[in-house]
Each structure stands twice: as structure tokens, then as C-alpha cells.
Amino acid sequence: MALARYKSIVDDYATRIRSGKLRPGAQLPTLRKLMQERGIALATASRVYTELETHGLVACEMGRGTFVRDTSLPRGLGLEQQTLQSGAVDLIFNYPCLPGQDEMLREGLRCIASSGDLDALLHAAPQGGRPHERQITARHLRNRGLRLPAEQVLIVNGAQQALAVTVQALLAPGDILVMDALTFPGMKTLAQSSRLDVEALPLAEGKLNLPALAALCKRRPVRAVYVMPTMHNPMGTVMTDAERRQLAQLAQKHQFLIIEDGAYAFLAEPAPKPVFCYAPEQTVYISGLSKSVASGLRIGMLAAPPVLIPALETAIRVTSGNTPSLMIALACLWIESGVVDELEVRKRKDARQRQRLARTILQSCDVRSHPSSYYAWLSLSEGVRAEQITAELAKQGVMVSTADAFSAGTSAPQALRLALGSIPLDSLANALRKVQLLCSY
């Protein structure tokens, strides 16, 4: 009887939400009020809301209550790529691409086609790349402040695979992985699918909360910490040298692994040394060319201490076998010829221009960003719900991410993450004006 009663309440709410009788953003009764209205126990009331949340119909926020989701929007906007409606503007994903890059590609392919050992590109590369390719990649990482031998560098299919390889090789289900309460969605999803025990730390000024991490390490056996010290995504913050040293000291004291994500680090100039430099025996550094060059060039770079390289090579073999030889050849050609350096300089300038535009248009909003980043974090006013804003913007042809996509904690703040790098400046300006009209105080 109790089961039937509980299911009937869930079905009643689900029907009213899907039919529109309960509109997006509507607040449901408190648990106590639900108990009184329906004549049920606390455990049953809690179970009702938990199941509704599991089905993506409501959002339960600690200290605030339970709210109806907008079911017309993809849950957690930003976790998965969606096919945009015709004419829609994408402020969800960053695909920074500059004028003239298509001609760079033509020239690069012509150079490869006229090279002497073209037949080699028809054969699979070794796990992590051929020795000379790893050497070229190691030289490129000097731009990030890393000076490593080629033997400590591996080439993979993008930074996301580098993260997956690291998790598969070095972590096991049930291991405790620490990350920020707001973090990169790709790592959050990877941790969940790998059945890791995620500890989400509240941010401190938009950065890794080092005091909270130190306290956690005293309570639990932390296995790894995922960190974006340079150009945190989505907050755009940069940890100081002192903070990096402190993190390295904690890793050495408590013997945990640091997974350092440098995907957007090229945008910071000057940038502090990577955390890897302070804890070289306990850090895996990850980067790639998707943001600095092109999203279609799926080349990732992974630097690790020598003792970890064999396990990482095995994980590469298991997950992908190898990285396409043609893609590696193109990446190495562009690194050696200076194309990558040129694009990084130009994209830093482009990102600064887009940030100035965003800050000018959104000056009446609560925006946090780095002057050289390709994204901005917009906190909404009290009582304004992110899902309502995203729904209205979608009607106007502007797609944005809610904080849900980036939240690794139990509840997400009412905020939007705006990707600024994928569309022409005039289209970006028009889209930001629509955001400003809906989000101003």
C-alpha cells in the first residue's frame, strides 16, 4: 500500500509538470507541508522528491527548496552537445577559430603531402607517439613552463582522452577524487562514469579551496585532486605561485595525485609555473590543441613522472590503440613551423577583445571572468531562476549553459556560463544584449 501511495504521488506531480500545470521555476511544497497535505511519512516525502529529481523533473536545492525544471531544455545544458535550431547562437561551447585558419590547413596538408616519408602515415603510431613527435611535443610544453624529456610526454586524442587515460590508469572505482564544486563538465562526467567517490570543495575566491582540502585530507584518504590552476573553467581564475606551492606540499604530505588541467592555460600571459613544477613526482599535466588551434584537431598532451608512463601507455592502448598518424604529423608540423605559437598570440588578443565587449554590454550584471578568457560566469539576482532565463533565451535563439552542467556538488547556484569564443563579434554582441536585458539587476 505504501509503495502504491508513493508512486501515485510521483505520477501526479510528473503529470502536472509535463502538462504544464506546474510551470518551470515553480516551487513545490516543503517536505513538512507535503507530509501534511498527503498524509505520508518524512521518508516517503523525501523519496517522492528524490525520484522526481532522478527523472529530471525537479531540482532540489539545499536550503532553498524544490523547484520545477524546464523539461523543454536539455538537462544541465552544457554536458552534451546539442543540435542547434536554425539561426540559433551558441554560447554553450567554445570553438575559437580565427580568419585564415582554413588556408593554414590547406598549406599544412600540402606540406605533408609533399613530405618524403608519406607512407609512414599509413601505419599506426606507437602508444603516445613516435620518439621524434614526443620530442616536438615536449618542446611545445615549454610554452607552458614545463621542461621535460620526450620520454615523459605522451600524445593522445585530445585533452578529454588524456583525462580518461589518467583516470583509467591511475584510479580505481571507489577512490576519492577531489574537485571544485564548480568544475569542467567533462571531468565531472568522467568521474561519475568511473564510479569514483567525488568530494566537491566549495570554491575560495573562484579557486581550489586549499584549507578545505587540507581538512578533508585529515578525515579521508584522498587519492587524487583535479585542478585547473590557470584559467579555471568556468570561473576564469588563476592560482598564485604561493597557492600552487601549498597544493604541492599537501600532495607530498598526504600522498595524493594531482591531475592538472591546462587546456586554457595558453590564454594567460604571463602565466605562473604549472603545479607540475612544484610536485613533479605526483602530478599529471594535461593540455591539448583543441582551444589554441582548432576543435577538430584532436591532439592532447599528457606529461607525467617516469614511474607512471607504462600504466598510461597501457591505458592508451586499451582505449584507442593510438592517435591518428596524420593528425600528429599536422600538429607537429604546426608546432615546429611556429603556427601554433602564432595562433596562441592571436587568440589571446581575440579573447581579450571578446571580454571587453562582454564586460561593456553586461556591466549591469554580476559577471566574473578573466580579462583573457573565452568565457564568463554570470550570477543571477535573488529569486531569478537559471532555467527560466535559459528557456527565454532559447526562444530568442540564444543557447547558454546553466550552472548545473558545471556543478559537482549537491546543488547548483543560479548562474549562467557564457562561452564567448565560437561566433563572430557582431553576433556575440547581439546575443549578449539579449542576455543583459533578461539578467540585469
Side-chain angles (χ1 to χ4, degrees):
M1 181 64 70
L3 179 60
R5 178 68 171 147
Y6 142 73
K7 283 291 186 183
S8 68
I9 298 173
V10 171
D11 291 343
D12 176 50
Y13 272 115
T15 299
R16 287 196 285 158
I17 292 171
R18 289 174 176 138
S19 67
K21 290 181 179 179
L22 281 174
R23 296 182 177 276
Q27 186 170 7
L28 299 189
T30 63
L31 287 176
R32 183 176 297 278
K33 190 172 183 180
L34 181 63
M35 291 166 55
Q36 295 171 346
E37 290 179 351
R38 302 284 184 152
I40 55 177
L42 175 61
T44 304
S46 179
R47 190 176 177 186
V48 167
Y49 283 172
T50 297
E51 180 152 337
L52 289 170
E53 184 175 36
T54 299
H55 290 309
L57 298 175
V58 302
C60 300
E61 299 179 11
M62 187 175 296
R64 297 197 62 196
T66 302
F67 299 86
V68 176
R69 285 184 177 273
D70 185 343
T71 57
S72 67
L73 294 172
R75 186 175 180 183
L77 281 175
L79 281 176
E80 298 178 356
Q81 292 179 320
Q82 304 291 328
T83 300
L84 295 181
Q85 60 185 353
S86 177
V89 174
D90 184 5
L91 299 187
I92 296 178
F93 294 97
N94 267 322
Y95 304 120
C97 194
L98 302 174
Q101 283 196 234
D102 54 347
E103 189 54 43
M104 288 180 179
L105 178 59
R106 290 190 185 93
E107 180 60 28
L109 293 175
R110 281 195 290 265
C111 289
I112 291 174
S114 62
S115 63
D117 191 18
L118 196 61
D119 179 68
L121 302 184
L122 297 175
H123 301 279
Q127 282 80 40
R130 298 176 178 87
H132 74 281
E133 295 164 339
R134 292 167 72 171
Q135 183 64 56
I136 292 169
T137 304
R139 287 201 297 270
H140 171 69
L141 287 175
R142 293 179 184 178
N143 292 348
R144 305 284 87 81
L146 294 176
R147 292 185 173 273
L148 299 168
E151 294 75 20
Q152 284 185 246
V153 176
L154 298 170
I155 304 172
V156 293
N157 293 293
Q160 182 64 40
Q161 197 209 3
L163 291 172
V165 163
T166 301
V167 168
Q168 178 167 334
L170 307 179
L171 280 66
D175 279 349
I176 298 172
L177 173 66
V178 176
M179 59 178 65
D180 296 314
L182 293 172
T183 193
F184 170 51
M187 188 59 180
K188 182 183 79 169
T189 306
L190 175 62
Q192 292 168 343
S193 64
S194 301
R195 293 181 292 162
L196 301 178
D197 184 350
V198 174
E199 282 279 0
L201 298 181
L203 290 166
E205 297 299 319
K207 305 175 187 177
L208 182 68
N209 193 324
L210 292 168
L213 174 60
L216 175 64
C217 288
K218 294 178 180 178
R219 301 194 311 269
R220 304 195 69 192
V222 172
R223 175 67 185 95
V225 173
Y226 172 70
V227 63
M228 295 171 282
T230 306
M231 291 294 182
H232 182 283
N233 181 13
M235 304 307 294
T237 50
V238 178
M239 291 174 65
T240 65
D241 281 317
E243 291 167 335
R244 293 164 195 251
R245 289 192 184 94
Q246 187 178 349
L247 174 58
Q249 291 168 357
L250 285 172
Q252 291 157 1
K253 178 179 180 180
H254 297 283
Q255 290 300 297
F256 59 73
L257 178 73
I258 299 171
I259 303 173
E260 182 176 7
D261 188 340
Y264 281 102
F266 74 96
L267 289 171
E269 189 185 39
K273 292 181 180 179
V275 176
F276 189 104
C277 296
Y278 302 110
E281 300 304 316
Q282 291 168 264
T283 305
V284 174
Y285 182 89
I286 290 167
S287 185
L289 299 183
S290 293
K291 306 303 181 185
S292 60
V293 180
S295 58
L297 188 63
R298 300 303 301 163
I299 293 294
M301 307 162 191
L302 190 155
V307 68
L308 300 181
I309 293 296
L312 292 165
E313 288 178 328
T314 298
I316 294 171
R317 183 168 63 250
V318 169
T319 55
S320 67
N322 53 62
T323 302
S325 299
L326 180 59
M327 300 293 280
I328 298 179
L330 182 61
C332 289
L333 172 67
W334 278 352
I335 290 171
E336 286 197 297
S337 65
V339 168
V340 174
D341 290 344
E342 176 192 344
L343 287 173
E344 288 185 354
V345 171
R346 290 175 61 192
K347 288 193 177 183
R348 282 193 288 270
K349 182 179 179 181
D350 179 60
R352 288 193 291 269
Q353 184 178 8
R354 291 168 183 271
Q355 279 292 340
R356 287 194 295 270
L357 177 66
R359 291 185 178 205
T360 298
I361 294 175
L362 301 175
Q363 59 183 307
S364 60
C365 303
D366 183 3
V367 176
R368 179 164 197 160
S369 64
H370 188 280
S372 298
S373 74
Y374 269 122
Y375 38 86
W377 185 258
L378 194 160
S379 297
L380 300 175
S381 303
E382 182 69 27
V384 178
R385 307 225 13 110
E387 290 184 348
Q388 292 174 312
I389 297 294
T390 54
E392 182 56 38
L393 285 172
K395 292 177 184 176
Q396 298 180 32
V398 178
M399 306 302 293
V400 300
S401 300
T402 68
D404 283 346
F406 299 86
S407 178
T410 55
S411 62
Q414 296 303 312
L416 308 177
R417 189 264 204 177
L418 308 176
L420 309 176
S422 301
I423 57 177
L425 284 170
D426 56 347
S427 298
L428 177 61
N430 291 333
L432 291 175
R433 291 189 188 99
K434 294 178 181 179
V435 173
Q436 185 270 336
L437 287 173
L438 289 174
C439 300
S440 296
Y441 288 119

